[in-house]
Amino acid sequence: GNSVTQMEGPVTLSEEAFLTINCTYTATGYPSLFWYVQYPGEGLQLLLKATKADDKGSNKGFEATYRKETTSFHLEKGSVQVSDSAVYFCALSDPIPYSGGGADGLTFGKGTHLIIQP
Amino acid sequence: GAGVSQSPSNKVTEKGKDVELRCDPISGHTALYWYRQSLGQGLEFLIYFQGNSAPDKSGLPSDRFSAERTGGSVSTLTIQRTQQEDSAVYLCASRVFRNSPLHFGNGTRLTVT
């Protein structure tokens, strides 16, 4: 079945450091891939997405490239800020829903808590 | 606003009481989802509605949990005879079609005392 694996947190970095949060997936079809961000006390917000292999999603200085050969969608940012502190979720949406898993082909990773220190 | 709206934002209830949580999705979004997020944990899928089709209830943890969606729009998640382990943030999300991004509400934080 489908799955998303992302690095466990918390990840603690200093301001202006380079960020990588790893995400790998397994899927039966050709999924779309997403990164969501959750700030304290809020719901999840879409950060970026990619719909096919070699697509690069980008937003607010964050980037992730859809790598089919390595089944990965790692999140990167060149210089993090304190305001980037949040929980980040990698997710996939499979057009061929995973039978038995519910959620209409949607699978989320467990989230990575990112803490940026000034 | 144009986003997904959930109410109440916070709910404190006594063990054994019933609670209703409301979700108002984005207009035109035919798919609606409920998730549960326990403290420091990831998302647990509960139930999914698509248009007028029968809902996918495969994630509901027990028969104390139920949900309905009236008129293809507003949804209510009901928890009967609440237990302390039901304490969590309940998130609602909607999307316009498969493979499009989910739009989440800010959630309802449920505390069962």
Side-chain angles (χ1 to χ4, degrees):
Chain A
N2 293 351
S3 68
V4 174
T5 303
Q6 59 182 108
M7 56 196 299
E8 300 278 333
V11 173
T12 304
L13 296 172
S14 297
E15 203 166 21
E16 300 184 1
F18 184 88
L19 168 71
T20 300
I21 300 178
N22 289 337
C23 172
T24 58
Y25 69 90
T26 58
T28 54
Y30 297 92
S32 294
L33 301 174
F34 307 90
W35 277 101
Y36 289 86
V37 58
Q38 185 179 32
Y39 299 103
E42 299 184 8
L44 281 69
Q45 304 174 22
L46 178 69
L47 180 59
L48 53 84
K49 67 176 182 179
T51 58
K52 62 183 187 297
D54 299 325
D55 269 2
K56 177 185 285 187
S58 62
N59 186 25
K60 300 181 181 179
F62 291 89
E63 294 184 339
T65 301
Y66 190 148
R67 301 286 188 198
K68 190 167 177 60
E69 64 275 14
T70 54
T71 62
S72 65
F73 193 55
H74 304 322
L75 182 68
E76 297 181 335
K77 186 174 185 182
S79 177
V80 292
Q81 306 299 314
V82 172
S83 57
D84 294 327
S85 298
V87 181
Y88 292 80
F89 291 89
C90 185
L92 69 83
S93 181
D94 193 335
I96 304 173
Y98 166 49
S99 60
D104 190 34
L106 287 163
T107 304
F108 284 84
K110 293 185 177 181
T112 301
H113 187 192
L114 175 65
I115 301 169
I116 306 301
Q117 296 178 333
Chain B
V4 176
S5 178
Q6 291 189 246
S7 61
S9 55
N10 283 284
K11 176 71 176 179
V12 180
T13 190
E14 293 180 351
K15 178 181 173 181
K17 300 284 190 183
D18 298 352
V19 295
E20 287 188 351
L21 312 180
R22 176 188 168 103
C23 173
D24 202 338
I26 293 173
S27 177
H29 283 196
T30 58
L32 185 149
Y33 308 78
W34 283 98
Y35 289 88
R36 179 168 69 176
Q37 186 175 30
S38 299
L39 185 62
Q41 301 298 307
L43 298 176
E44 176 187 4
F45 166 73
L46 297 177
I47 188 169
Y48 153 62
F49 296 87
Q50 173 63 57
N52 296 320
S53 303
D56 178 348
K57 305 179 182 180
S58 60
L60 293 179
S62 77
D63 59 8
R64 296 186 296 105
F65 287 72
S66 63
E68 63 177 19
R69 188 178 184 191
T70 54
S73 181
V74 173
S75 177
T76 302
L77 177 70
T78 301
I79 309 173
Q80 296 179 311
R81 306 180 302 282
T82 52
Q83 304 295 313
Q84 288 187 331
E85 61 263 28
D86 299 335
S87 295
V89 175
Y90 290 82
L91 292 168
C92 176
S94 67
R95 65 176 177 175
V96 63
F97 54 80
R98 182 167 290 160
N99 275 7
S100 63
L102 288 180
H103 295 258
F104 283 84
N106 283 336
T108 294
R109 181 175 297 280
L110 175 66
T111 303
V112 181
T113 62

